[in-house]
Amino acid sequence: MQIDADRLGRALSALGGAGDPEGFAAAGTRSLAALFDAPRAVLSLRGAGGVGGQSRFIAWPGWCAETYRRQIHAQDPIRDWLDGCRPGAAPVTRLSDLVPARELERAPYFETMLRPSGARHVLTLAIRQSGRIAGALSLVRNQDAPDFSADDRSLAAALVPALEMSYALAHRRPAAPGPEQALTAREAEIARLVADGATNKAIARRLGLSPETVKNHLRAVFAKAGVANRTALCAWMLSRAP
């Protein structure tokens, strides 16, 4: 692939300037997605032992995060790849490396999420810390775009150390008390649903609340988290994943 020095420099500068978890989330998703001409991304941080954690869906339709959590997560070949990604293994993969095109197009998760959302090609960069997989950044192209090339994959692999350093620097400060400690049980529940990409109306339906009640809870969550919007709240939740 042809990447000019200015674009590469801007991406590296953005990663190097991520001084906190929110900055890392913004730099990792936006700067690298732009560098690889990927209009959407998913940033996932894993919980202890690979269990739990949070995922931030960037520029996806609002229903995708909940659909992924409920229907796709258990059969996601990228998650399986991360589970088996041992020290020394290549830190980057394409969805097309894991699943042949014909097999992918017959898979339930393709029909359930990828095709309806317009997504098709995925390039995933594993983020390791202290020898374990701490998370992953998946860059996603639409169905009308070409797949990521072997050169794209090589460039991504070369950028993984910068991504991992940015993650480490952004998380070097002790984490503030987690959402479950800072928020009420209902506020924490709503914050988790917001981090999953749910709208206020969807949260209201799921929890049996009025949209106005959800809105009031969300105001309290913003105030306690010290954030001004849903995007910042997602980053705040990601930063406190175990």
Side-chain angles (χ1 to χ4, degrees):
M1 67 182 299
Q2 296 296 321
I3 294 291
D4 65 71
D6 286 343
R7 289 181 67 194
L8 181 58
R10 286 195 296 271
L12 291 173
S13 177
L15 286 174
D20 55 37
E22 183 176 340
F24 171 78
T29 54
R30 293 193 176 90
S31 65
L32 292 189
L35 183 65
F36 287 90
D37 296 319
R40 62 182 87 182
V42 181
L43 176 65
S44 301
L45 296 186
R46 312 195 98 187
V51 178
Q54 298 285 342
S55 294
R56 179 181 177 185
F57 284 69
I58 307 299
W60 290 75
W63 55 268
C64 288
E66 180 69 8
T67 297
Y68 178 83
R69 187 178 68 82
R70 286 180 169 274
Q71 301 182 42
I72 311 301
H73 180 265
Q75 53 184 306
D76 183 357
I78 296 173
R79 182 184 66 86
D80 291 342
W81 172 76
L82 286 168
D83 288 343
C85 198
R86 300 291 181 253
V92 175
T93 193
R94 299 173 299 184
L95 181 57
S96 56
D97 295 328
L98 305 175
V99 185
R102 289 184 180 179
E103 182 180 334
L104 174 67
E105 291 172 1
R106 292 195 298 266
Y109 58 84
F110 184 82
E111 291 295 333
T112 302
M113 182 173 168
L114 295 184
R115 188 192 297 278
S117 69
R120 179 62 174 82
H121 310 292
V122 184
L123 179 71
T124 298
L125 295 75
I127 303 169
R128 289 190 178 96
Q129 295 291 302
S130 302
R132 72 175 184 89
I133 298 294
L137 174 63
S138 291
L139 309 175
V140 183
R141 287 177 179 167
N142 293 332
Q143 294 166 12
D144 58 355
D147 193 4
F148 294 94
S149 68
D151 286 344
D152 290 327
R153 185 176 55 189
S154 296
L155 176 60
L159 291 173
V160 164
L163 185 65
E164 292 177 339
M165 183 177 294
S166 173
Y167 175 92
L169 291 174
H171 292 75
R172 68 189 183 279
R173 300 184 183 89
E180 291 75 15
Q181 296 174 328
L183 309 179
T184 67
R186 178 64 84 189
E187 289 166 353
E189 188 173 25
I190 289 172
R192 285 192 292 270
L193 290 171
V194 168
D196 282 342
T199 64
N200 284 7
K201 288 183 179 180
I203 294 171
R205 287 194 300 270
R206 178 167 176 174
L207 301 183
L209 303 173
S210 71
E212 187 61 30
T213 298
V214 172
K215 190 174 181 179
N216 289 337
H217 280 305
L218 201 50
R219 286 198 192 101
V221 170
F222 285 172
K224 290 181 178 181
V227 300
N229 53 50
R230 301 171 88 89
T231 299
L233 178 62
C234 289
W236 188 78
M237 293 288 287
L238 278 168
S239 73
R240 283 151 181 80

